[in-house]
Amino acid sequence: MSIEEQGGQKTAASKIAPAKGKLGVMVVGLGAVATTMIAGVEAVRRGLAKPIGSLTQMGTIRLGKRTDNKSPLIKDFIPLADLNDVVFTAWDIFEDNAYEAAAHAKVLEEKLLEQVKPYLETIKPLPAVFDQYYVKRLNGTHIKHGKTKRDLANQVMEDIKAFQKTVDRVVVIWAASTEIFIKPSAVHQSIEAFEAGLDNNDIGISSSQIYAYAALSLGVPFANGAPNLTVDFPAMVELSKKNSAPICGRDFKTGQTMMKTVLAPAFKARMLGVSGWFSTNILGNRDGEVLDDPESFKTKEESKLGSLDYIFQPELYPDLYKDLYHKIRINYYPPRGDQKEAWDNIDIFGWLGYPMQIKVNFLCRDSILAAPIALDLILFMDLAKRTPALRSIGVQEWLSFYLKAPQTAEGLYPEHDLFIQSMKLKNTLRHIMGVDLITHLGLEYYD
Ligand SMILES: NC(=O)c1ccc[n+]([C@@H]2O[C@H](COP(=O)([O-])OP(=O)(O)OC[C@H]3O[C@@H](n4cnc5c(N)ncnc54)[C@H](O)[C@@H]3O)[C@@H](O)[C@H]2O)c1
């Protein structure tokens, strides 16, 4: 379907650079999420499975009026990279290739893994930037050495430049372990302060920030799938805008938080009160082991806690939400592996204050939920880089849909409601393609 047939204006859409050639994806962390995504992309390319959970691959977008009956696939509407043009590489603190790492993660069944083994074996991680101070439970051996953090950033830049020679465009995504909780400090306030911090090994600069700095310095988009402080501070926003390198974060919104940001907006829309929300999880993968460390857990907890406050707006609805007690627990329980179990007990109240309870028991597969999110973020970040209206704005808030603690422009509160996020994402796609936004007003049908 041509842009005109879809009701679009050629001028807006034609300004987006085409997705020509190879898209190189550099994944930081070749663990459960990364290998599940990479193996999955290869399985889809070979027709072995379907990309379920991926909006870019399976989603449609309505254009025009409901009576127009125009709902193309998103990937036919906007110029996204084709999965056949995606090339992966990674960094990790262990030398295992993607097949060995996937086998270790035990997410995918052996039968599927064997079918994509020859491809996965070709993906061998580059040595990582790693300092145990930021992830206490890991001890890596496959790491870079340098006197200063600046040296390490330069080495990452060399890796990126070498990869850039083999592909047409590059996107970097953080799917590595959750680092300890870091509060932004003076070193994070400007590019100059951050660069001085790189030179004098400032403790506020974590490994993830070194990768992000390297990518953004080269104009390469960077998405953060974990809750650590990585691109969400002034120095990175400045660098992102300066070099037209889109950023987004934090933390893939997969299981429990996804459910939370679906249920909470429903209670609020119906003016039902909530007095308590207790969320607990058991999981036994490496992520669970890392989160067993109180400092990494704190980072995750902060990321998970925010959503309810923003959705409920207790300052606007004190009678309904001011006394909400919200508690989150993550328990490392090895027998469960990647197959996390989450329980939510929600104490709500209705008409005249009468109490009720809701129990949600989600038996999910963490990496099965995260893999399509990582893929979509990669493809959309590449689109953002090719789109004049998006490439130099810094934070890609329209990708909040995928994130637990969405980054926004300074001074804005984040939108957590999944359906507002979905509308925002689709309207952004309509906007950059020059077609009418959909407001759901619908009065035109009754003229
Ligand atoms: N699976 C989910 O549903 C989900 C949801 C939201 C966020 N996340 C986050 O995504 C990240 C990845 O999750 P996972 O389940 O794949 O974890 P994982 O432990 O299986 O994989 C993480 C990988 O990162 C590597 N690593 C650690 N520090 C590194 C560094 N500095 N450089 C390069 N590699 C490094 C580890 O060696 C490991 O292989 C975690 O931070 C997790 O909290 C996962």
Side-chain angles (χ1 to χ4, degrees):
M1 217 190 292
S2 75
I3 301 290
E4 288 86 344
E5 278 167 338
Q6 293 168 11
Q9 292 161 10
K10 206 161 185 179
T11 42
S14 59
K15 284 194 202 142
I16 303 175
K20 257 203 332 248
K22 298 282 177 208
L23 170 63
V25 178
M26 304 190 85
V27 191
V28 192
L30 194 54
V33 173
T35 55
T36 306
M37 170 186 67
I38 297 171
V41 166
E42 179 63 2
V44 170
R45 291 199 279 227
R46 294 179 44 190
L48 303 171
K50 295 248 182 279
I52 295 172
S54 163
L55 186 70
T56 60
Q57 302 308 300
M58 303 196 80
T60 61
I61 183 163
R62 187 186 116 200
L63 305 175
K65 292 174 155 190
R66 273 182 270 166
T67 43
D68 292 347
N69 284 326
K70 253 190 256 164
S71 291
L73 281 171
I74 286 175
K75 63 178 179 166
D76 291 340
F77 174 57
I78 43 167
L80 283 182
D82 189 283
L83 290 192
N84 289 312
D85 292 328
V86 175
V87 181
F88 292 102
T89 187
W91 290 275
D92 204 287
I93 64 170
F94 300 111
E95 255 174 294
D96 293 354
N97 64 42
Y99 172 75
E100 292 161 334
H104 175 89
K106 293 197 182 64
V107 176
L108 299 174
E109 287 166 5
E110 224 176 289
K111 190 169 156 236
L112 180 71
L113 270 191
E114 284 308 310
Q115 288 172 287
V116 291
K117 181 175 175 177
Y119 173 71
L120 292 184
E121 280 180 334
T122 64
I123 301 168
K124 301 186 175 99
L126 299 155
V129 174
F130 181 74
D131 180 338
Q132 210 183 15
Y133 174 75
Y134 302 100
V135 186
K136 299 281 188 292
R137 294 286 154 102
L138 293 182
N139 194 1
T141 47
H142 187 52
I143 57 177
K144 296 188 191 307
H145 299 281
K147 269 212 186 91
T148 64
K149 294 188 177 184
R150 167 88 73 172
D151 293 339
L152 296 169
N154 287 339
Q155 291 176 43
V156 175
M157 282 193 228
E158 289 311 311
D159 289 345
I160 298 174
K161 284 188 206 156
F163 192 51
Q164 278 176 325
K165 290 198 181 119
T166 68
V167 294
D168 297 271
R169 305 176 309 282
V170 171
V171 169
V172 176
I173 185 165
W174 176 272
S177 312
T178 301
E179 297 176 322
I180 59 170
F181 185 71
I182 297 177
K183 271 214 162 103
S185 59
V187 77
H188 300 109
Q189 301 311 315
S190 67
I191 299 178
E192 294 72 41
F194 190 84
E195 289 179 340
L198 284 173
D199 290 328
N200 56 38
N201 291 330
D202 193 289
I203 200 162
I205 300 183
S206 62
S207 313
S208 66
Q209 294 171 25
I210 294 175
Y211 287 100
Y213 172 81
L216 301 183
S217 297
L218 296 173
V220 169
F222 188 101
N224 180 16
N228 26 259
L229 183 79
T230 301
V231 284
D232 29 14
F233 50 86
M236 290 295 178
V237 174
E238 201 185 327
L239 196 56
S240 158
K241 288 183 181 168
K242 181 174 155 217
N243 294 339
S244 300
I247 48 175
C248 73
R250 299 181 285 193
D251 210 3
F252 301 128
K253 175 151 90 172
T254 48
Q256 194 167 53
T257 308
M258 194 255 293
M259 295 303 293
K260 225 170 236 180
T261 61
V262 168
L263 291 173
F267 303 145
K268 189 172 101 178
R270 284 289 161 94
M271 291 290 108
L272 292 169
V274 183
S275 57
W277 198 312
F278 181 75
S279 303
T280 189
N281 301 269
I282 54 172
L283 81 163
N285 56 15
R286 191 182 277 154
D287 185 31
E289 192 179 349
V290 167
L291 294 175
D292 210 30
D293 169 59
E295 290 189 76
S296 286
F297 171 70
K298 170 129 175 75
T299 312
K300 194 59 138 187
E301 188 185 28
E302 291 281 324
S303 156
K304 278 176 154 258
L305 273 173
S307 59
L308 287 191
D309 247 12
Y310 285 114
I311 291 172
F312 286 142
Q313 298 176 289
E315 66 294 349
L316 279 185
Y317 304 102
D319 291 339
L320 302 176
Y321 308 117
K322 120 175 132 5
D323 296 324
L324 169 67
Y325 187 87
H326 187 197
K327 189 94 196 160
I328 293 165
R329 282 278 162 267
I330 299 176
N331 304 287
Y332 177 51
Y333 178 61
R336 204 45 85 80
D338 197 65
Q339 297 182 34
K340 180 161 97 178
E341 181 159 3
W343 290 270
D344 284 85
N345 171 76
I346 314 158
D347 284 291
I348 68 170
F349 53 94
W351 187 239
L352 313 178
Y354 278 71
M356 297 169 261
Q357 285 186 11
I358 298 172
K359 315 274 177 190
V360 182
N361 182 198
F362 192 2
L363 286 86
C364 66
R365 291 171 190 262
D366 247 10
S367 304
I368 293 294
L369 292 170
I373 291 182
L375 172 65
D376 282 2
L377 280 175
I378 289 164
L379 298 183
F380 280 142
M381 288 295 270
D382 170 50
L383 172 75
K385 172 79 188 176
R386 287 182 283 108
T387 304
L390 299 176
R391 80 162 67 105
S392 304
I393 61 170
V395 182
Q396 305 295 311
E397 195 196 324
W398 59 288
L399 296 174
S400 300
F401 178 63
Y402 295 107
L403 299 157
K404 261 204 243 341
Q407 190 174 349
T408 62
E410 211 188 327
L412 279 186
Y413 68 82
E415 266 317 338
H416 282 274
D417 176 329
L418 191 80
F419 298 103
I420 294 180
Q421 293 173 333
S422 156
M423 227 181 319
K424 188 194 262 303
L425 188 156
K426 288 192 173 180
N427 269 339
T428 303
L429 299 180
R430 292 182 186 106
H431 172 72
I432 62 172
M433 293 300 285
V435 304
D436 288 342
L437 305 190
I438 290 186
T439 63
H440 300 284
L441 176 64
L443 278 179
E444 67 273 25
Y445 302 113
Y446 297 89
D447 276 349

